[in-house]
Amino acid sequence: MHRVKVRVVEDALDANNTIARANRMEFDRHAVTVVNLMSAPGSGKTTLLERTLGHWDDGPRIGVLEGDVAGSLDADRLAHHHIPVVQLNTDNGFGGECHLDANMVASAMDALPLDDIDILIVENVGNLVCPAEFRIGEDARIMVASVAEGDDKPLKYPLMFRACELVVINKIDLLEHVDFEMDQFLHHIDAVHPGVASLQVSARTGEGVDGLRTWLTELPARVNASAAV
Amino acid sequence: MHRVKVRVVEDALDANNTIARANRMEFDRHAVTVVNLMSAPGSGKTTLLERTLGHWDDGPRIGVLEGDVAGSLDADRLAHHHIPVVQLNTDNGFGGECHLDANMVASAMDALPLDDIDILIVENVGNLVCPAEFRIGEDARIMVASVAEGDDKPLKYPLMFRACELVVINKIDLLEHVDFEMDQFLHHIDAVHPGVASLQVSARTGEGVDGLRTWLTELPARVNASAAV
């Protein structure tokens, strides 16, 4: 059973990569830089987006594609901030996909006002395993880890930490109330993904969020520079 | 692509259920009651087990099967408490399975001292989606939700909350530091799974952990009573 399952999954990943490349070409045609935003459930992705994108009048034009198993709670929250948001639910099928795939993102393409967007942020389903395995046509990947989850997570979910260009360490306002050693965590990140960038923020208080704004603002130029190499 | 994927998954679930039934018969033969313990990453499953099982001298004989994508950090922590622990890693294959399945549990069966165990707790991979879809031969399912994850989780991951017999609400020591309305959360649980039992605990301080000990102690009789119906 195991051997078959692995082969099926590899075929699915091949098909996924083909569609992801097509997505990427379409995004490029509209000069949209795409970020795949991933984390465990409850790490604070949506609150981080609200805090980062709300009242950011001089920033790039941002759009959000919201991935959830069920409901539109997060999309509704973001819509309050006058950000173009499209909701994708993964719960048709067998009880809910645990990740977005390239085909789901392709299905939302027509609903996105791509010519009015500089950076599209795709908020993935909360999960530290499968989202890292499925490219969706993104230029960069951010993972959010909350200090409430503990400092051992890079060792337990190494692929996720290895697959991203930026680790946002969220909920630092809780540091004094949880068993989390920042030095240990940074050490573990560095062990699984040497040199990866990280930011320490509190989406709740706003501390450190300017660093994410800077990172996003500089992203399109960085992506273009690396594409030109 | 989507249609094929769903069919493949349904076939996999059928095969899984067949093996899960065989696991269940084997556990029954040794009079072992099995609990599938599930949560998002970092909800505190291992700390909860350490707090509940450590120094519980008059309790049932507990064994633990530790499921992780990679590493044996959690198993090592539990082994310190002189609890029989077997580690299962899911990272052979394509980058890590996001859940345990019945076949993986079957592969660990011989390593477990079943005749010395009354209750086997299987700590699943941290994930709020797929573990709820794959039975492993368990008698009961507990899900752990941390208040740091937010009170909207039952609406976003309904299958997980629907699939369990007990919701353990962990990290209540953080309640005054996070945006989490207990009434809202209980209301959301009740909306997706009317009448499901819940406990409020802090694995960090030990508050409420006696309730989980009582629940576990009474579980074998409860399982036997429902099997006799």
Side-chain angles (χ1 to χ4, degrees):
Chain A
M1 180 182 155
H2 236 61
R3 191 178 299 272
V4 172
K5 207 155 88 189
V6 170
R7 189 173 54 70
V8 167
V9 170
E10 284 171 353
D11 287 351
L13 288 177
D14 278 349
N16 184 73
N17 283 336
T18 302
I19 302 170
R21 276 191 294 271
N23 289 350
R24 179 71 163 278
M25 285 174 66
E26 184 67 9
F27 289 132
D28 283 351
R29 211 165 64 80
H30 295 273
V32 176
T33 303
V34 180
V35 174
N36 188 352
L37 181 65
M38 303 177 288
S39 81
S43 301
K45 292 188 295 303
T46 309
T47 305
L48 183 64
L49 289 180
E50 288 186 293
R51 180 62 81 161
T52 306
L53 308 183
H55 306 290
W56 190 15
D57 297 327
D58 56 343
R61 298 170 305 166
I62 309 262
V64 175
L65 183 58
E66 265 297 330
D68 282 299
V69 174
S72 62
L73 289 174
D74 294 347
D76 296 344
R77 286 168 59 186
L78 289 168
H80 282 135
H81 297 271
H82 308 291
I83 301 158
V85 182
V86 172
Q87 177 74 49
L88 257 185
N89 283 138
T90 71
D91 66 353
N92 49 359
F94 64 104
E97 292 276 354
C98 62
H99 59 275
L100 292 179
D101 65 26
N103 201 35
M104 297 180 209
V105 171
S107 76
M109 196 81 81
D110 286 348
L112 290 162
L114 292 180
D115 289 326
D116 302 326
I117 293 174
D118 298 314
I119 300 177
L120 176 68
I121 299 179
V122 183
E123 188 179 334
N124 218 311
V125 178
N127 179 349
L128 285 188
V129 187
C130 302
E133 295 165 359
F134 287 82
R135 307 293 308 201
I136 54 174
E138 71 273 47
D139 296 287
R141 301 167 136 202
I142 301 176
M143 80 149 296
V144 182
S146 141
V147 302
E149 294 160 21
D151 51 32
D152 58 349
K153 291 300 159 293
L155 303 181
K156 298 182 67 181
Y157 302 90
L159 181 65
M160 178 59 78
F161 285 85
R162 216 172 273 143
C164 63
E165 279 78 41
L166 175 68
V167 178
V168 177
I169 307 165
N170 191 21
K171 305 194 188 179
I172 57 170
D173 55 296
L174 292 180
L175 272 174
E176 61 185 302
H177 307 295
V178 296
D179 299 318
F180 183 96
E181 297 296 329
M182 186 63 77
D183 286 351
Q184 276 292 318
F185 187 75
L186 294 173
H187 178 74
H188 293 331
I189 294 178
D190 202 58
V192 300
H193 191 164
V196 67
S198 68
L199 290 172
Q200 299 176 30
V201 310
S202 165
R204 193 169 187 236
T205 69
E207 188 181 350
V209 163
D210 274 345
L212 181 56
R213 287 182 167 183
T214 302
W215 194 92
L216 287 170
T217 302
E218 296 172 350
L219 180 63
R222 207 160 50 235
V223 166
N224 286 335
S226 76
V229 171
Chain B
M1 182 180 153
H2 236 62
R3 191 178 300 271
V4 172
K5 206 155 87 190
V6 170
R7 188 173 53 70
V8 167
V9 170
E10 283 170 353
D11 287 352
L13 288 176
D14 277 351
N16 183 73
N17 283 336
T18 302
I19 302 170
R21 275 191 295 273
N23 288 351
R24 178 71 163 278
M25 286 174 64
E26 184 68 7
F27 289 131
D28 283 351
R29 212 165 64 80
H30 295 273
V32 176
T33 303
V34 180
V35 174
N36 188 352
L37 182 64
M38 302 178 290
S39 81
S43 301
K45 292 188 296 302
T46 308
T47 305
L48 183 66
L49 289 180
E50 289 185 292
R51 180 63 81 162
T52 306
L53 308 183
H55 307 289
W56 190 16
D57 299 328
D58 56 344
R61 298 170 304 165
I62 309 263
V64 175
L65 183 57
E66 264 297 331
D68 282 299
V69 174
S72 64
L73 289 174
D74 294 348
D76 297 342
R77 285 168 59 186
L78 289 167
H80 281 136
H81 297 271
H82 308 291
I83 301 157
V85 182
V86 171
Q87 177 74 49
L88 257 184
N89 283 137
T90 71
D91 65 353
N92 49 358
F94 64 104
E97 291 277 353
C98 62
H99 59 275
L100 292 179
D101 65 26
N103 201 36
M104 297 180 208
V105 171
S107 76
M109 196 81 79
D110 286 348
L112 290 162
L114 292 180
D115 289 326
D116 303 327
I117 292 174
D118 299 314
I119 300 178
L120 176 68
I121 299 179
V122 183
E123 188 180 334
N124 217 310
V125 178
N127 180 349
L128 285 188
V129 187
C130 302
E133 295 166 359
F134 287 82
R135 309 292 307 201
I136 54 174
E138 72 273 47
D139 296 287
R141 302 166 138 203
I142 300 176
M143 79 151 294
V144 182
S146 140
V147 302
E149 295 161 21
D151 51 32
D152 58 350
K153 291 299 160 296
L155 303 182
K156 297 182 68 181
Y157 302 90
L159 181 65
M160 177 59 76
F161 285 84
R162 214 172 274 142
C164 63
E165 279 79 41
L166 176 67
V167 178
V168 177
I169 306 166
N170 192 21
K171 306 194 189 180
I172 57 170
D173 55 296
L174 291 180
L175 272 174
E176 60 184 303
H177 307 295
V178 296
D179 299 318
F180 182 96
E181 297 296 330
M182 186 63 78
D183 286 351
Q184 276 292 317
F185 187 75
L186 295 172
H187 178 76
H188 292 330
I189 294 177
D190 202 58
V192 300
H193 191 164
V196 67
S198 67
L199 290 172
Q200 299 176 30
V201 311
S202 166
R204 193 171 188 232
T205 69
E207 188 180 350
V209 163
D210 274 345
L212 181 55
R213 287 181 168 183
T214 302
W215 194 92
L216 287 170
T217 302
E218 296 171 351
L219 180 62
R222 207 159 50 234
V223 167
N224 286 336
S226 75
V229 172

